[in-house]
Amino acid sequence: MLYSIADGEVKMVAEGPLTKAALENNKCYLLDCGAEVFFWVGRVTQVEERKAASQAAEEFIASQNQPKSIRITQVIQGHETRLFRSNFGSWHMGSGTSGAEDRRRGKVAAMLKQQGVDVKGITKGAPVNEGVSPLREGGGKFEVWCINGSAKTPVPKEEIGKFYAGDCYIVLYTCHSSDKKEDYFLSCWMGKDSIQEDQMMAA
């Protein structure tokens, strides 16, 4: 059963066969699979909306007299698990990321490579697009932060390029395009073994 959560209210959306189209990127949803419940977060929902939806979801699950042992998994749009996607008949069952996400990761890796940074492991399952043109001749500036709970810690310059599977990172690339105008390219990298709280904070 799929429920939408808006303004603190939980409403039934569909029961039985589900389609990916039922998930709107500006909302949060609950997917009740019986033995497991998924809390899905749309990528353009505001932080306050997410907090309110999370609290409403917890209250709703408690009201359903579910056993305390029930597993509740938080899922962020674009980073759905295979198990979550298996409940939607129209969902492509390939890699865990979308093609657009793979392309973004490939571009970030290509930018890092142009800066002389070792990108080994950054795009597991997504080949680096060697054809990506330089964003700026002569390079730009990279800043990387590691997410730890509600804090983000700057990664030392000599450590940039080392991405650990248990961590999440924010990568900011700054360059000048024309007339001294600065362009910014912001990306987040989520390790496959990172915890959901860090993934949500990074997003």
Side-chain angles (χ1 to χ4, degrees), residues 26-134:
N26 62 343
K27 292 182 180 178
C28 295
Y29 293 85
L30 262 186
L31 177 62
D32 187 348
C33 301
E36 184 168 12
V37 175
F38 293 93
F39 176 59
W40 185 90
V41 180
R43 67 175 178 270
V44 299
T45 53
Q46 300 298 314
V47 173
E48 291 304 316
E49 291 176 40
R50 296 180 183 191
K51 287 181 180 177
S54 179
Q55 184 174 343
E58 287 179 13
E59 291 172 358
F60 177 77
I61 292 168
S63 73
Q64 298 299 299
N65 296 319
Q66 295 275 21
K68 290 184 178 180
S69 60
I70 191 167
R71 183 175 175 181
I72 302 170
T73 303
Q74 182 174 283
V75 179
I76 298 172
Q77 184 179 10
H79 301 276
E80 292 87 355
T81 63
R82 185 177 181 85
L83 189 57
F84 177 87
R85 288 179 286 133
S86 69
N87 293 286
F88 294 80
S90 63
W91 210 306
H92 174 63
M93 294 302 293
S95 64
T97 57
S98 66
E101 182 69 19
D102 285 343
R103 287 192 292 276
R104 280 196 294 274
R105 289 185 181 186
K107 287 181 181 179
V108 169
M111 288 187 295
L112 288 166
K113 195 170 184 179
Q114 288 162 6
Q115 295 294 309
V117 175
D118 179 13
V119 295
K120 184 179 180 183
I122 186 175
T123 55
K124 185 173 182 179
V128 176
N129 182 356
E130 300 289 355
V132 175
S133 58

